[in-house]
Amino acid sequence: MLGNPPRDRKAERRAGTRAEILAAAWALAHEQGLSGISLRDLGARVGMRAQSLYSYFDSKFAIYDAMFAEGNALLLERTSSLPSPRDPDAGLRAGARVFFTFCVEDPARYQLLFQRTIPGFEPSAESYAIAGKVLEAATARLHAAGITTDRGRDLWTALLNGFADQQIANDPGGDRWGRLLDDAIDMFLAHLRGPGGQY
Amino acid sequence: MLGNPPRDRKAERRAGTRAEILAAAWALAHEQGLSGISLRDLGARVGMRAQSLYSYFDSKFAIYDAMFAEGNALLLERTSSLPSPRDPDAGLRAGARVFFTFCVEDPARYQLLFQRTIPGFEPSAESYAIAGKVLEAATARLHAAGITTDRGRDLWTALLNGFADQQIANDPGGDRWGRLLDDAIDMFLAHLRGPGGQY
DNA sequence: GTCTATATCCAGATAGAC
DNA sequence: GTCTATCTGGATATAGAC
Protein backbone atom coordinates (compact mmCIF):
# COMPACT_ATOMS: atom_id res chain seq x y z
CA MET A 1 0.00 0.00 0.00
CA LEU A 2 1.71 3.07 -1.23
CA GLY A 3 0.68 6.17 0.59
CA ASN A 4 0.77 4.64 4.02
CA PRO A 5 1.99 7.25 6.40
CA PRO A 6 5.56 6.43 7.31
CA ARG A 7 5.88 5.27 10.88
CA ASP A 8 8.20 7.33 12.91
CA ARG A 9 9.83 4.65 14.97
CA LYS A 10 11.90 7.11 16.88
CA ALA A 11 8.89 9.12 17.93
CA GLU A 12 7.04 5.95 18.84
CA ARG A 13 9.81 4.76 21.07
CA ARG A 14 10.04 8.15 22.67
CA ALA A 15 6.32 8.22 23.38
CA GLY A 16 6.57 4.73 24.82
CA THR A 17 9.32 5.76 27.19
CA ARG A 18 7.36 8.81 28.27
CA ALA A 19 4.39 6.59 29.05
CA GLU A 20 6.64 4.25 30.98
CA ILE A 21 7.98 7.14 33.03
CA LEU A 22 4.48 8.33 33.80
CA ALA A 23 3.41 4.86 34.88
CA ALA A 24 6.38 4.69 37.21
CA ALA A 25 5.52 8.13 38.56
CA TRP A 26 2.00 6.98 39.41
CA ALA A 27 3.39 3.92 41.14
CA LEU A 28 5.71 6.10 43.21
CA ALA A 29 2.87 8.46 44.05
CA HIS A 30 0.85 5.54 45.38
CA GLU A 31 3.71 4.28 47.50
CA GLN A 32 5.29 7.47 48.78
CA GLY A 33 2.62 10.05 48.30
CA LEU A 34 2.35 12.58 45.55
CA SER A 35 5.04 14.88 46.85
CA GLY A 36 7.23 11.89 47.66
CA ILE A 37 8.20 11.48 44.02
CA SER A 38 11.86 12.25 43.49
CA LEU A 39 13.59 12.22 40.15
CA ARG A 40 16.24 9.92 41.57
CA ASP A 41 13.70 7.27 42.48
CA LEU A 42 11.72 7.82 39.35
CA GLY A 43 14.77 7.37 37.17
CA ALA A 44 15.75 4.23 39.05
CA ARG A 45 12.29 2.77 38.36
CA VAL A 46 12.77 3.00 34.66
CA GLY A 47 16.45 2.14 34.66
CA MET A 48 17.84 5.60 34.18
CA ARG A 49 19.70 8.24 36.06
CA ALA A 50 17.60 11.13 37.21
CA GLN A 51 19.29 13.44 34.74
CA SER A 52 18.23 11.38 31.77
CA LEU A 53 14.61 12.08 32.51
CA TYR A 54 15.21 15.57 31.24
CA SER A 55 15.35 14.14 27.74
CA TYR A 56 11.65 13.32 28.14
CA PHE A 57 10.30 16.02 30.41
CA ASP A 58 11.47 19.57 30.88
CA SER A 59 11.08 19.57 34.62
CA LYS A 60 9.48 17.80 37.50
CA PHE A 61 6.43 20.01 37.20
CA ALA A 62 6.13 18.94 33.56
CA ILE A 63 5.76 15.39 34.84
CA TYR A 64 3.07 16.45 37.28
CA ASP A 65 1.38 18.27 34.46
CA ALA A 66 1.37 15.18 32.26
CA MET A 67 -0.05 13.17 35.15
CA PHE A 68 -2.73 15.79 35.66
CA ALA A 69 -3.68 15.61 32.00
CA GLU A 70 -3.63 11.82 32.01
CA GLY A 71 -5.86 11.61 35.04
CA ASN A 72 -8.39 14.04 33.65
CA ALA A 73 -8.35 12.32 30.27
CA LEU A 74 -9.18 9.03 31.95
CA LEU A 75 -12.03 10.58 33.88
CA LEU A 76 -13.34 12.21 30.72
CA GLU A 77 -13.18 8.91 28.90
CA ARG A 78 -15.07 7.13 31.64
CA THR A 79 -17.80 9.70 31.88
CA SER A 80 -18.28 10.15 28.15
CA SER A 81 -18.36 6.43 27.46
CA LEU A 82 -21.40 6.12 29.71
CA PRO A 83 -24.55 5.11 27.83
CA SER A 84 -27.15 7.84 27.54
CA PRO A 85 -30.15 6.37 29.30
CA ARG A 86 -33.73 7.38 28.59
CA ASP A 87 -34.03 8.57 32.17
CA PRO A 88 -31.85 11.65 32.71
CA ASP A 89 -31.88 11.07 36.45
CA ALA A 90 -30.27 7.72 35.86
CA GLY A 91 -27.62 9.46 33.80
CA LEU A 92 -26.94 11.85 36.62
CA ARG A 93 -26.62 8.99 39.07
CA ALA A 94 -24.32 7.06 36.80
CA GLY A 95 -22.08 10.07 36.33
CA ALA A 96 -21.92 10.64 40.06
CA ARG A 97 -21.02 7.05 40.72
CA VAL A 98 -18.28 7.08 38.12
CA PHE A 99 -16.86 10.25 39.61
CA PHE A 100 -17.01 8.95 43.15
CA THR A 101 -15.36 5.65 42.22
CA PHE A 102 -12.71 7.45 40.24
CA CYS A 103 -11.81 9.64 43.22
CA VAL A 104 -11.86 6.92 45.81
CA GLU A 105 -9.88 4.33 43.90
CA ASP A 106 -6.77 6.51 43.79
CA PRO A 107 -6.28 9.06 46.55
CA ALA A 108 -2.97 10.29 45.15
CA ARG A 109 -4.66 11.06 41.86
CA TYR A 110 -7.50 12.75 43.72
CA GLN A 111 -4.98 14.92 45.48
CA LEU A 112 -3.29 15.91 42.24
CA LEU A 113 -6.47 16.61 40.30
CA PHE A 114 -8.73 18.11 42.91
CA GLN A 115 -6.83 19.18 45.98
CA ARG A 116 -3.81 20.73 44.37
CA THR A 117 -1.56 20.87 47.38
CA ILE A 118 1.76 20.78 45.53
CA PRO A 119 3.43 24.12 46.21
CA GLY A 120 4.04 26.05 43.04
CA PHE A 121 2.44 23.63 40.64
CA GLU A 122 -0.16 24.96 38.24
CA PRO A 123 -1.49 22.84 35.41
CA SER A 124 -0.80 24.11 31.91
CA ALA A 125 -3.62 25.58 29.86
CA GLU A 126 -3.79 22.46 27.69
CA SER A 127 -4.09 20.16 30.67
CA TYR A 128 -6.59 22.42 32.31
CA ALA A 129 -8.73 22.33 29.19
CA ILE A 130 -9.27 18.61 29.66
CA ALA A 131 -10.47 19.23 33.19
CA GLY A 132 -12.84 21.81 31.75
CA LYS A 133 -14.38 19.23 29.47
CA VAL A 134 -15.05 16.96 32.41
CA LEU A 135 -16.98 19.72 34.11
CA GLU A 136 -18.83 20.44 30.86
CA ALA A 137 -19.97 16.85 30.64
CA ALA A 138 -21.23 16.96 34.21
CA THR A 139 -23.07 20.20 33.50
CA ALA A 140 -24.68 18.59 30.48
CA ARG A 141 -26.00 15.72 32.58
CA LEU A 142 -27.39 18.22 35.06
CA HIS A 143 -29.09 20.12 32.25
CA ALA A 144 -30.64 16.93 30.92
CA ALA A 145 -32.12 16.38 34.36
CA GLY A 146 -33.58 19.86 34.32
CA ILE A 147 -31.04 21.51 36.56
CA THR A 148 -29.78 24.54 34.73
CA THR A 149 -28.78 27.11 37.32
CA ASP A 150 -25.35 27.92 38.64
CA ARG A 151 -26.65 27.39 42.12
CA GLY A 152 -27.76 23.88 41.25
CA ARG A 153 -24.42 23.04 39.71
CA ASP A 154 -22.49 24.46 42.65
CA LEU A 155 -24.58 22.53 45.13
CA TRP A 156 -24.04 19.39 43.08
CA THR A 157 -20.26 19.73 42.93
CA ALA A 158 -20.05 20.48 46.65
CA LEU A 159 -22.07 17.38 47.42
CA LEU A 160 -20.00 15.07 45.24
CA ASN A 161 -16.75 16.57 46.36
CA GLY A 162 -17.70 16.25 49.99
CA PHE A 163 -18.57 12.62 49.60
CA ALA A 164 -15.33 11.75 47.88
CA ASP A 165 -13.34 13.73 50.40
CA GLN A 166 -14.89 12.13 53.43
CA GLN A 167 -14.63 8.65 52.01
CA ILE A 168 -10.95 9.07 51.27
CA ALA A 169 -10.06 10.83 54.50
CA ASN A 170 -12.12 8.91 57.00
CA ASP A 171 -12.82 5.48 55.59
CA PRO A 172 -10.19 4.67 53.00
CA GLY A 173 -10.90 1.40 51.30
CA GLY A 174 -14.36 1.29 52.83
CA ASP A 175 -17.86 2.18 51.71
CA ARG A 176 -19.20 4.33 54.49
CA TRP A 177 -20.03 7.26 52.24
CA GLY A 178 -20.34 5.31 49.02
CA ARG A 179 -23.47 3.61 50.23
CA LEU A 180 -25.05 6.95 51.10
CA LEU A 181 -24.48 8.45 47.69
CA ASP A 182 -27.74 7.43 46.03
CA ASP A 183 -29.70 8.66 48.97
CA ALA A 184 -27.89 11.98 48.82
CA ILE A 185 -28.80 12.30 45.16
CA ASP A 186 -32.44 11.70 46.08
CA MET A 187 -32.10 14.51 48.56
CA PHE A 188 -30.54 16.79 45.97
CA LEU A 189 -33.14 16.11 43.29
CA ALA A 190 -36.08 16.44 45.63
CA HIS A 191 -34.79 19.76 46.86
CA LEU A 192 -34.18 21.20 43.45
CA ARG A 193 -37.58 20.20 42.21
CA GLY A 194 -39.42 20.98 45.39
CA PRO A 195 -41.61 23.95 46.21
CA GLY A 196 -40.19 27.32 47.04
CA GLY A 197 -37.18 26.47 44.97
CA GLN A 198 -34.75 29.18 44.02
CA TYR A 199 -33.40 27.14 41.16
CA MET B 1 -1.44 37.01 100.20
CA LEU B 2 0.45 34.01 101.43
CA GLY B 3 -0.31 30.85 99.59
CA ASN B 4 -0.16 32.37 96.17
CA PRO B 5 1.30 29.81 93.83
CA PRO B 6 4.84 30.88 92.98
CA ARG B 7 5.15 32.07 89.44
CA ASP B 8 7.60 30.12 87.41
CA ARG B 9 9.05 32.90 85.34
CA LYS B 10 11.28 30.55 83.42
CA ALA B 11 8.36 28.37 82.38
CA GLU B 12 6.34 31.43 81.46
CA ARG B 13 9.03 32.79 79.25
CA ARG B 14 9.47 29.43 77.63
CA ALA B 15 5.76 29.14 76.92
CA GLY B 16 5.81 32.63 75.50
CA THR B 17 8.61 31.78 73.12
CA ARG B 18 6.83 28.61 72.04
CA ALA B 19 3.75 30.63 71.26
CA GLU B 20 5.85 33.11 69.34
CA ILE B 21 7.36 30.31 67.27
CA LEU B 22 3.93 28.90 66.52
CA ALA B 23 2.64 32.29 65.45
CA ALA B 24 5.60 32.65 63.09
CA ALA B 25 4.95 29.14 61.76
CA TRP B 26 1.36 30.09 60.92
CA ALA B 27 2.55 33.21 59.18
CA LEU B 28 4.99 31.20 57.11
CA ALA B 29 2.30 28.67 56.28
CA HIS B 30 0.12 31.45 54.97
CA GLU B 31 2.88 32.88 52.84
CA GLN B 32 4.66 29.80 51.54
CA GLY B 33 2.14 27.06 52.03
CA LEU B 34 2.03 24.52 54.80
CA SER B 35 4.85 22.39 53.47
CA GLY B 36 6.86 25.50 52.68
CA ILE B 37 7.81 25.99 56.28
CA SER B 38 11.51 25.45 56.82
CA LEU B 39 13.23 25.58 60.17
CA ARG B 40 15.74 28.03 58.76
CA ASP B 41 13.04 30.52 57.81
CA LEU B 42 11.10 29.86 60.96
CA GLY B 43 14.12 30.51 63.13
CA ALA B 44 14.89 33.70 61.25
CA ARG B 45 11.37 34.93 61.94
CA VAL B 46 11.86 34.74 65.66
CA GLY B 47 15.48 35.85 65.64
CA MET B 48 17.10 32.48 66.10
CA ARG B 49 19.13 29.94 64.23
CA ALA B 50 17.21 26.93 63.10
CA GLN B 51 19.05 24.73 65.55
CA SER B 52 17.85 26.73 68.53
CA LEU B 53 14.27 25.79 67.77
CA TYR B 54 15.08 22.34 69.05
CA SER B 55 15.13 23.77 72.55
CA TYR B 56 11.41 24.34 72.15
CA PHE B 57 10.23 21.57 69.87
CA ASP B 58 11.62 18.10 69.40
CA SER B 59 11.21 18.07 65.65
CA LYS B 60 9.50 19.74 62.77
CA PHE B 61 6.59 17.35 63.09
CA ALA B 62 6.23 18.40 66.71
CA ILE B 63 5.64 21.92 65.45
CA TYR B 64 3.01 20.70 63.03
CA ASP B 65 1.45 18.77 65.86
CA ALA B 66 1.26 21.85 68.06
CA MET B 67 -0.30 23.78 65.17
CA PHE B 68 -2.80 21.00 64.67
CA ALA B 69 -3.74 21.12 68.35
CA GLU B 70 -3.92 24.90 68.34
CA GLY B 71 -6.19 24.98 65.33
CA ASN B 72 -8.56 22.41 66.73
CA ALA B 73 -8.59 24.13 70.10
CA LEU B 74 -9.63 27.36 68.44
CA LEU B 75 -12.40 25.65 66.53
CA LEU B 76 -13.57 23.94 69.69
CA GLU B 77 -13.61 27.25 71.51
CA ARG B 78 -15.61 28.91 68.78
CA THR B 79 -18.18 26.18 68.55
CA SER B 80 -18.62 25.70 72.26
CA SER B 81 -18.92 29.39 72.97
CA LEU B 82 -21.99 29.55 70.75
CA PRO B 83 -25.16 30.37 72.65
CA SER B 84 -27.60 27.49 72.97
CA PRO B 85 -30.68 28.77 71.23
CA ARG B 86 -34.20 27.54 71.92
CA ASP B 87 -34.45 26.36 68.36
CA PRO B 88 -32.11 23.42 67.79
CA ASP B 89 -32.18 24.02 64.04
CA ALA B 90 -30.77 27.45 64.65
CA GLY B 91 -28.02 25.85 66.69
CA LEU B 92 -27.21 23.53 63.85
CA ARG B 93 -27.08 26.40 61.42
CA ALA B 94 -24.88 28.45 63.67
CA GLY B 95 -22.47 25.57 64.13
CA ALA B 96 -22.31 25.01 60.39
CA ARG B 97 -21.62 28.66 59.73
CA VAL B 98 -18.88 28.78 62.31
CA PHE B 99 -17.26 25.70 60.82
CA PHE B 100 -17.51 27.00 57.28
CA THR B 101 -16.05 30.38 58.21
CA PHE B 102 -13.28 28.74 60.16
CA CYS B 103 -12.28 26.61 57.17
CA VAL B 104 -12.50 29.32 54.59
CA GLU B 105 -10.67 32.02 56.50
CA ASP B 106 -7.43 30.03 56.59
CA PRO B 107 -6.79 27.52 53.81
CA ALA B 108 -3.43 26.47 55.20
CA ARG B 109 -5.05 25.61 58.49
CA TYR B 110 -7.80 23.76 56.66
CA GLN B 111 -5.16 21.74 54.88
CA LEU B 112 -3.40 20.85 58.12
CA LEU B 113 -6.51 19.97 60.08
CA PHE B 114 -8.70 18.33 57.49
CA GLN B 115 -6.73 17.36 54.42
CA ARG B 116 -3.61 16.01 56.01
CA THR B 117 -1.39 16.01 52.99
CA ILE B 118 1.93 16.29 54.81
CA PRO B 119 3.80 13.06 54.12
CA GLY B 120 4.54 11.16 57.30
CA PHE B 121 2.79 13.48 59.70
CA GLU B 122 0.29 12.00 62.10
CA PRO B 123 -1.15 14.05 64.93
CA SER B 124 -0.36 12.83 68.43
CA ALA B 125 -3.08 11.19 70.48
CA GLU B 126 -3.41 14.30 72.65
CA SER B 127 -3.87 16.56 69.67
CA TYR B 128 -6.25 14.16 68.06
CA ALA B 129 -8.37 14.11 71.18
CA ILE B 130 -9.13 17.80 70.72
CA ALA B 131 -10.32 17.10 67.19
CA GLY B 132 -12.54 14.39 68.64
CA LYS B 133 -14.19 16.89 70.94
CA VAL B 134 -15.02 19.11 68.02
CA LEU B 135 -16.80 16.25 66.32
CA GLU B 136 -18.58 15.42 69.58
CA ALA B 137 -19.92 18.93 69.80
CA ALA B 138 -21.21 18.77 66.25
CA THR B 139 -22.86 15.43 66.96
CA ALA B 140 -24.54 16.93 69.99
CA ARG B 141 -26.02 19.72 67.90
CA LEU B 142 -27.29 17.15 65.42
CA HIS B 143 -28.87 15.15 68.25
CA ALA B 144 -30.59 18.24 69.57
CA ALA B 145 -32.12 18.70 66.15
CA GLY B 146 -33.37 15.14 66.19
CA ILE B 147 -30.74 13.63 63.94
CA THR B 148 -29.29 10.70 65.77
CA THR B 149 -28.17 8.20 63.17
CA ASP B 150 -24.69 7.59 61.83
CA ARG B 151 -26.03 8.05 58.33
CA GLY B 152 -27.34 11.47 59.21
CA ARG B 153 -24.07 12.51 60.75
CA ASP B 154 -22.06 11.22 57.81
CA LEU B 155 -24.27 13.02 55.33
CA TRP B 156 -23.90 16.19 57.37
CA THR B 157 -20.11 16.07 57.50
CA ALA B 158 -19.88 15.33 53.78
CA LEU B 159 -22.08 18.29 53.02
CA LEU B 160 -20.16 20.72 55.20
CA ASN B 161 -16.80 19.44 54.07
CA GLY B 162 -17.79 19.68 50.43
CA PHE B 163 -18.89 23.26 50.84
CA ALA B 164 -15.69 24.31 52.53
CA ASP B 165 -13.59 22.47 50.01
CA GLN B 166 -15.26 23.97 46.97
CA GLN B 167 -15.20 27.45 48.41
CA ILE B 168 -11.48 27.26 49.12
CA ALA B 169 -10.51 25.56 45.88
CA ASN B 170 -12.70 27.37 43.39
CA ASP B 171 -13.59 30.73 44.82
CA PRO B 172 -11.00 31.70 47.39
CA GLY B 173 -11.90 34.91 49.11
CA GLY B 174 -15.37 34.83 47.59
CA ASP B 175 -18.79 33.73 48.73
CA ARG B 176 -20.05 31.50 45.94
CA TRP B 177 -20.67 28.52 48.20
CA GLY B 178 -21.07 30.44 51.42
CA ARG B 179 -24.29 31.99 50.22
CA LEU B 180 -25.70 28.55 49.38
CA LEU B 181 -25.02 27.08 52.78
CA ASP B 182 -28.31 27.92 54.44
CA ASP B 183 -30.22 26.56 51.51
CA ALA B 184 -28.21 23.34 51.66
CA ILE B 185 -29.08 22.98 55.31
CA ASP B 186 -32.75 23.36 54.43
CA MET B 187 -32.27 20.57 51.95
CA PHE B 188 -30.58 18.40 54.51
CA LEU B 189 -33.19 18.92 57.21
CA ALA B 190 -36.12 18.41 54.87
CA HIS B 191 -34.65 15.18 53.63
CA LEU B 192 -33.94 13.78 57.05
CA ARG B 193 -37.39 14.58 58.32
CA GLY B 194 -39.20 13.71 55.15
CA PRO B 195 -41.23 10.63 54.34
CA GLY B 196 -39.61 7.32 53.56
CA GLY B 197 -36.64 8.40 55.57
CA GLN B 198 -34.06 5.82 56.51
CA TYR B 199 -32.72 7.92 59.33
C1' DG C 1 19.82 9.36 24.59
C1' DT C 2 22.41 8.16 28.29
C1' DC C 3 26.08 8.68 30.91
C1' DT C 4 29.61 10.96 34.47
C1' DA C 5 30.53 14.85 36.80
C1' DT C 6 29.17 18.74 38.86
C1' DA C 7 26.68 22.96 40.34
C1' DT C 8 23.80 24.90 43.56
C1' DC C 9 21.04 24.87 47.05
C1' DC C 10 18.29 23.20 50.69
C1' DA C 11 16.59 20.19 54.24
C1' DG C 12 16.42 18.28 59.30
C1' DA C 13 19.18 17.18 63.00
C1' DT C 14 23.29 16.68 66.46
C1' DA C 15 27.66 17.96 69.27
C1' DG C 16 29.71 20.78 72.12
C1' DA C 17 31.49 25.53 73.48
C1' DC C 18 29.97 29.42 76.03
C1' DG D 1 19.28 28.71 75.72
C1' DT D 2 21.81 30.14 71.97
C1' DC D 3 25.51 29.87 69.36
C1' DT D 4 29.15 27.88 65.72
C1' DA D 5 30.33 24.06 63.31
C1' DT D 6 29.18 20.06 61.24
C1' DC D 7 26.83 15.82 59.68
C1' DT D 8 24.14 13.50 56.41
C1' DG D 9 21.36 13.38 52.97
C1' DG D 10 18.26 15.13 49.74
C1' DA D 11 16.62 17.91 45.91
C1' DT D 12 16.44 19.90 40.78
C1' DA D 13 19.04 21.00 37.11
C1' DT D 14 23.09 21.78 33.65
C1' DA D 15 27.51 20.71 30.88
C1' DG D 16 29.74 17.98 28.06
C1' DA D 17 31.78 13.30 26.74
C1' DC D 18 30.47 9.25 24.25
Side-chain angles (χ1 to χ4, degrees):
Chain A
M1 301 272 280
L2 292 172
N4 263 355
R7 281 175 56 191
D8 186 340
R9 293 186 177 278
K10 197 168 160 189
E12 280 174 20
R13 199 175 45 224
R14 188 182 154 81
T17 304
R18 272 181 64 106
E20 204 183 324
I21 291 168
L22 286 182
W26 282 117
L28 270 174
H30 299 149
E31 293 164 26
Q32 322 248 5
L34 196 58
S35 53
I37 299 176
S38 81
L39 297 190
R40 267 178 169 70
D41 293 349
L42 183 53
R45 285 281 171 126
V46 295
M48 280 181 196
R49 298 276 144 162
Q51 303 94 308
S52 304
L53 297 170
Y54 285 88
S55 297
Y56 298 95
F57 294 95
D58 286 343
S59 68
K60 188 182 184 181
F61 279 177
I63 295 175
Y64 280 132
D65 191 55
M67 294 170 77
F68 181 88
E70 201 172 66
N72 277 110
L74 176 60
L75 178 55
L76 183 61
E77 186 194 311
R78 285 202 200 165
T79 50
S80 38
S81 72
L82 281 172
S84 274
R86 293 275 163 79
D87 178 7
D89 284 11
L92 206 56
R93 276 176 212 281
R97 182 62 64 178
V98 163
F99 176 77
F100 181 80
T101 303
F102 177 85
C103 292
V104 165
E105 75 187 10
D106 191 339
R109 186 176 61 195
Y110 179 77
Q111 193 187 339
L112 177 64
L113 268 59
F114 303 114
Q115 305 213 108
R116 313 263 297 279
T117 51
I118 298 178
F121 169 63
E122 285 291 324
S124 64
E126 303 85 54
S127 300
Y128 208 77
I130 307 177
K133 286 192 186 179
V134 172
L135 186 57
E136 261 176 47
T139 308
R141 280 190 297 276
L142 281 168
H143 275 238
I147 292 146
T148 57
T149 59
D150 286 354
R151 289 173 66 91
R153 184 205 52 205
D154 288 346
L155 182 52
W156 176 252
T157 59
L159 197 63
L160 281 194
N161 204 284
F163 266 75
D165 220 71
Q166 289 291 93
Q167 183 63 58
I168 289 170
N170 296 318
D171 183 35
D175 192 36
R176 195 165 133 197
W177 277 269
R179 60 174 181 259
L180 300 182
L181 185 55
D182 274 313
D183 185 57
I185 297 174
D186 288 339
M187 170 181 78
F188 173 80
L189 289 175
H191 182 66
L192 275 128
R193 291 163 180 166
Q198 316 159 50
Y199 295 94
Chain B
M1 302 271 280
L2 290 174
N4 265 355
R7 279 174 58 190
D8 185 340
R9 293 187 175 276
K10 198 168 160 190
E12 279 173 20
R13 197 177 46 225
R14 188 182 154 81
T17 305
R18 272 182 62 106
E20 204 183 323
I21 291 169
L22 286 182
W26 283 116
L28 269 174
H30 299 149
E31 292 164 27
Q32 322 248 5
L34 196 58
S35 53
I37 300 175
S38 80
L39 298 189
R40 270 175 166 71
D41 293 349
L42 183 53
R45 285 282 171 125
V46 294
M48 279 181 198
R49 297 277 145 165
Q51 303 92 308
S52 304
L53 296 170
Y54 286 88
S55 299
Y56 298 96
F57 294 95
D58 285 341
S59 69
K60 190 183 183 182
F61 279 177
I63 295 174
Y64 279 132
D65 192 56
M67 294 169 79
F68 181 89
E70 200 171 67
N72 278 110
L74 176 59
L75 178 56
L76 183 62
E77 186 193 312
R78 286 204 201 163
T79 50
S80 40
S81 73
L82 282 172
S84 276
R86 293 276 162 81
D87 178 7
D89 284 10
L92 206 56
R93 276 177 210 281
R97 183 60 66 179
V98 163
F99 176 77
F100 181 80
T101 303
F102 178 83
C103 292
V104 165
E105 77 188 7
D106 190 339
R109 187 176 60 197
Y110 179 76
Q111 193 187 339
L112 177 64
L113 268 57
F114 303 114
Q115 307 213 108
R116 311 263 298 280
T117 51
I118 299 179
F121 169 62
E122 285 291 323
S124 64
E126 302 84 56
S127 300
Y128 208 78
I130 307 176
K133 285 191 186 179
V134 173
L135 186 57
E136 261 176 48
T139 307
R141 280 189 298 276
L142 280 169
H143 275 239
I147 292 146
T148 57
T149 60
D150 287 354
R151 290 173 65 91
R153 183 206 52 205
D154 288 346
L155 182 52
W156 177 253
T157 59
L159 197 63
L160 281 194
N161 205 283
F163 265 75
D165 220 70
Q166 289 292 93
Q167 183 62 57
I168 290 170
N170 297 317
D171 183 35
D175 192 35
R176 196 167 131 197
W177 277 269
R179 61 175 179 257
L180 300 182
L181 186 56
D182 274 314
D183 184 56
I185 296 174
D186 288 340
M187 171 181 79
F188 173 80
L189 289 175
H191 181 65
L192 276 129
R193 291 164 180 167
Q198 317 159 48
Y199 294 93

